């Protein structure tokens, strides 16, 4: 579920809905938005295929120059140019206004979230090369696409979770006040859907580096072929890049990926090559890979990655997050009103630290403005898939004899490393809106079908 098309919420209460407003979704949202000010804020292609389709089919009158594929509104919410969030409704029970189309463990390529900071580069696969450079290589060289396809192939099921996923759930000021700093308005206000899961296939980065004679490496820089505009970049543009410690690049499960869910890597997901670090936030997974620099010393961080740090009152020294936090969400389309009766709550939970081993769910009902009563206390949900490292699990919890009303549902996941989702008020605020993972409430309306206009 994602709170698409609703105002940002920083409160832990809700206004009771008068009968005159109960049947109009627009009026409900307007009433909620007006009442929110009265409630205190909470901190809180075939293997050898080389050229995927570049057919453009934008569904709306506004063309997005940063995105190649079609992004129909039944599957995506557009956050800004190049940023399309996957809707949670299709992931679970239904597409609003369409037939039920639940997803399995993996998300179809054409429905996975997209975050492109620039127009995907035009690449001629016949001349494209992956360059390996740096003083920690005894045999610097380049690889053609065919060279990589000829190397041993590895496939891994992994969840890819944007480091800024759930950024919109942070309050727009730190708990201590503004101090002259607001959560930057220009940063993408993702809800739950900046995440996907797929089977990724490619070659181990360690095998590619070994072929270039890696020796004494300290840090490795992965550089894309895109050109991102920014006033602080030399010449006004910079390629997207990430710097990691050499030991991370040399892990058995760090891949240079050229296939996604059994087909050639789509353009919007990095064709012809991207890097995959198991468990790390997806901002590290550089797309349209063109060069790997391997150094015997530290490499400066450049481009957008400079701002991918935790800063703010709770961080006297900036922290660069790597491993993705434990998160979970109920799958529900926010525009879909439920009718009374028996329901089953479905959801997904994931963590960068390992496998999920438990998910709990609670349901509360609004009884008067700002006051909620517990309908289902925290209760362990049934896991529908076998937990595996760095891959989400699907879960369910029966919700029986549901009565009309306004409800909120929260989920809380735990992973095998012992990490548990914190309360929203316990999440440490940071200036760039990264790694939020509080058990944020899904709010929904239950109303009899006979009351619908």
């Amino acid at each position: 579920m994602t709170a698409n098309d609703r105002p940002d919420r920083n409160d832990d209460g809700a206004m009771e809905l008068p009968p005159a407003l109960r049947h109009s979704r627009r009026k409900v949202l307007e009433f909620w938005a007006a009442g929110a000010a009265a409630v205190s804020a909470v901190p809180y292609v075939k293997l050898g295929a080389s050229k995927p389709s570049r057919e453009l089919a934008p569904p709306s009158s506004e063309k997005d120059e940063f995105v190649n594929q079609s992004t129909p509104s039944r599957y995506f919410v557009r956050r800004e140019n190049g940023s399309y969030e996957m809707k949670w409704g299709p992931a679970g029970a239904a597409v609003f206004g369409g037939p039920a189309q639940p997803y399995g463990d993996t998300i179809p390529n054409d429905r996975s979230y997209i975050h492109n900071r620039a127009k995907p580069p035009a690449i001629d696969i016949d001349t494209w090369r992956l360059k390996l450079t740096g003083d920690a290589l005894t045999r610097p060289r380049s690889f053609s696409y065919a060279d990589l396809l000829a190397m041993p192939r590895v496939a891994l099921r992994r969840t890819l979770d944007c480091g800024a996923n759930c950024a919109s759930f942070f309050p727009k000021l730190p708990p201590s006040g503004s101090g002259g700093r607001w959560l930057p308005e220009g940063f993408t206000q993702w809800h739950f859907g900046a995440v996907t899961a797929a089977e990724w296939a490619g070659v181990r980065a360690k095998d590619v580096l070994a072929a270039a004679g890696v020796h004494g490496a300290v840090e490795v820089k992965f550089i894309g072929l895109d050109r991102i505009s920014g006033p602080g970049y030399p010449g006004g543009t910079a390629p997207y890049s990430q710097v990691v410690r050499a030991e991370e690049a040399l892990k058995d499960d760090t891949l240079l990926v050229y296939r996604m869910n059994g087909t050639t890597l789509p353009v919007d997901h990095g064709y012809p090559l991207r890097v995959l670090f198991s468990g790390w936030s997806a901002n590290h997974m550089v797309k349209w890979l063109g060069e790997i620099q391997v150094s015997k010393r530290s490499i400066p961080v450049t481009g957008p990655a400079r701002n991918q740090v935790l800063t703010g009152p709770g961080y006297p020294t900036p922290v660069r997050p790597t491993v993705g936090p434990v998160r979970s969400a109920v799958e529900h389309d926010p525009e879909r009103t439920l009718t009374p009766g028996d329901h089953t709550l479905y959801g997904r939970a994931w963590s960068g630290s390992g496998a999920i081993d438990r998910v709990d769910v609670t349901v509360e009902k609004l009884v008067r403005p700002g006051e909620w009563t517990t309908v289902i206390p925290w209760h362990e949900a049934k896991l529908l898939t076998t937990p595996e490292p760095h891959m989400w699990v699907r879960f369910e919890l029966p919700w029986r004899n549901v009565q009309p009303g306004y409800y909120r549902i929260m989920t809380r996941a735990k992973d095998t490393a012992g990490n548990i989702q914190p309360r929203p008020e316990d999440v440490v605020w940071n200036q760039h809106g990264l790694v939020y993972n509080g058990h944020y409430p899904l709010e929904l309306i239950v109303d009899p079908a006979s009351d619908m206009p």
Side-chain angles (χ1 to χ4, degrees), residues 142-305:
S142 65
F143 292 82
S144 68
Y145 195 69
D147 291 335
L148 297 175
L149 293 180
M151 297 179 72
R153 182 167 61 124
V154 177
L156 298 172
R157 283 159 43 101
R158 293 289 186 265
T159 300
L160 239 65
D161 186 21
C162 179
N165 198 14
C166 301
S168 68
F169 303 146
F170 272 112
K172 299 303 178 272
L173 292 175
S176 58
S178 71
R181 302 296 296 275
W182 287 71
L183 191 69
E185 294 181 0
F187 282 58
T188 307
Q189 296 298 288
W190 301 106
H191 291 249
F192 287 113
V195 61
T196 192
E199 180 183 88
W200 310 90
V203 60
R204 287 189 176 95
K206 64 183 291 185
D207 293 344
V208 174
L209 295 176
V214 61
H215 179 73
V218 172
E219 289 192 337
V220 181
K221 185 173 186 176
F222 295 83
I223 306 171
L225 294 172
D226 51 344
R227 304 300 302 182
I228 303 168
S229 298
Y233 305 149
T237 65
Y240 190 77
S241 64
Q242 288 285 349
V243 177
V244 305
R245 299 292 296 177
E247 53 264 34
E248 188 65 32
L250 294 171
K251 285 185 175 179
D252 284 343
D253 57 358
T254 296
L255 301 186
L256 304 182
V257 169
Y258 49 71
R259 289 174 71 78
M260 180 179 179
N261 287 327
T263 65
T264 298
L265 191 66
V267 171
D268 287 309
H269 295 283
Y271 173 83
L273 197 69
R274 75 179 300 173
V275 64
L276 173 72
F277 300 105
S278 293
W280 281 29
S281 296
N283 55 290
H284 294 89
M285 321 304 189
V286 178
K287 299 189 288 188
W288 312 298
L289 200 58
E291 182 179 357
I292 302 176
Q293 295 178 359
V294 190
S295 177
K296 294 181 178 180
R297 55 190 61 83
S298 295
I299 303 175
V301 175
T302 59

Side-chain angles (χ1 to χ4, degrees), residues 56-67 69-71 78-82 84:
L56 292 173
S60 65
S61 58
E62 182 178 10
K63 180 180 177 181
D64 191 326
E65 62 179 1
F66 288 179
V67 173
Q69 72 170 59
S70 174
T71 52
R78 184 182 191 272
R79 294 298 176 200
E80 59 184 42
N81 191 20
Y84 286 81

Side-chain angles (χ1 to χ4, degrees), residues 306-367:
R306 292 182 303 177
N307 278 340
Q308 293 170 355
V309 293
L310 306 178
T311 62
Y315 297 95
T317 301
V319 175
R320 186 170 298 279
T322 55
V323 176
V326 56
R327 286 178 170 138
S328 63
V330 170
E331 298 166 343
H332 180 77
D333 194 309
E335 294 298 324
R336 181 170 173 252
T337 298
L338 298 181
T339 55
D342 293 342
H343 294 279
T344 300
L345 300 172
Y346 294 96
R348 296 172 191 253
W350 60 98
S351 172
S353 295
I356 295 293
D357 67 358
R358 179 176 176 131
V359 179
D360 293 289
V361 181
T362 185
V363 179
E364 298 176 336
K365 183 178 182 180
L366 183 68
V367 292

Side-chain angles (χ1 to χ4, degrees), residues 97-165:
Q101 296 185 27
Y103 297 157
D105 291 354
T106 60
I107 303 299
N109 293 355
D110 62 348
R111 300 179 194 176
S112 292
Y113 89 98
I114 301 169
H115 190 194
N116 296 342
R117 296 170 178 83
K119 184 177 181 179
I123 291 174
D124 181 348
I125 200 63
D126 296 326
T127 60
W128 172 87
R129 295 292 185 272
L130 174 65
K131 297 187 297 183
L132 268 68
T133 63
D135 61 6
L137 299 178
T138 60
R139 299 185 299 276
R141 57 169 294 184
S142 65
F143 292 82
S144 68
Y145 195 69
D147 291 335
L148 297 175
L149 293 180
M151 297 179 72
R153 182 167 61 124
V154 177
L156 298 172
R157 283 159 43 101
R158 293 289 186 265
T159 300
L160 239 65
D161 186 21
C162 179
N165 198 14

